[in-house]
Amino acid sequence: QVQLVESGGGLVQAGDSLRLSCAASGRTFSTYAWFRQAPGKEREFVARRSLGRTYYTDSVKGRFTISRDNAKNTVFLQMNSLKPEDTAVYYCAATNAPSTSSQRTYDYWGQGTQVTVSS
């Protein structure tokens, strides 16, 4: 069965770093992505990776990096210089559909991991 299992969230101070992990099982996918949802806000796209290409939303460019360990079928989100506005539940997602930033294209989702950044 296909599962995406996330880990790595936590409580940090502004300026700190975290690395989120998303371990996929059952299948491999052409596109992996990270989304996040802050309290009272809609879920938003953060980053995606497909065929070695990466794309980031403007608010995280230069601070976040999406990568993949192919042998372990695990996707990572390295988050540096964290800001309080990065506080959200972070979700990994995967699809074999054409790569876009739309959450509608992603068929499989992790359970979410909480990232809280204090001032």
Side-chain angles (χ1 to χ4, degrees):
Q1 293 183 342
V2 174
Q3 284 191 332
L4 303 178
V5 181
E6 301 174 359
S7 62
L11 173 63
V12 298
Q13 298 184 58
D16 285 353
S17 298
L18 280 174
R19 189 178 75 162
L20 306 182
S21 298
C22 176
S25 62
R27 290 172 56 184
T28 59
F29 299 89
S30 61
T31 303
Y32 296 86
W34 289 92
F35 293 79
R36 66 186 181 186
Q37 187 167 21
K41 299 182 66 176
E42 295 184 347
R43 187 174 300 181
E44 67 172 345
F45 168 81
V46 177
R48 70 171 185 263
R49 181 181 180 89
S50 183
L51 300 177
R53 295 184 176 183
T54 59
Y55 183 83
Y56 303 89
T57 192
D58 286 344
S59 63
V60 308
K61 286 181 179 178
R63 299 189 297 119
F64 290 12
T65 303
I66 185 172
S67 62
R68 181 173 180 233
D69 183 333
N70 293 334
K72 296 183 179 296
N73 198 20
T74 300
V75 180
F76 303 96
L77 184 68
Q78 178 67 44
M79 304 184 294
N80 298 327
S81 301
L82 283 163
K83 304 175 181 179
E85 49 263 45
D86 295 318
T87 295
V89 177
Y90 283 72
Y91 300 88
C92 64
T95 185
N96 283 322
S99 178
T100 71
S101 299
S102 174
Q103 58 186 295
R104 292 184 178 181
T105 66
Y106 292 89
D107 303 305
Y108 299 95
W109 295 80
Q111 80 285 357
T113 186
Q114 176 71 48
V115 173
T116 302
V117 185
S118 63
S119 300

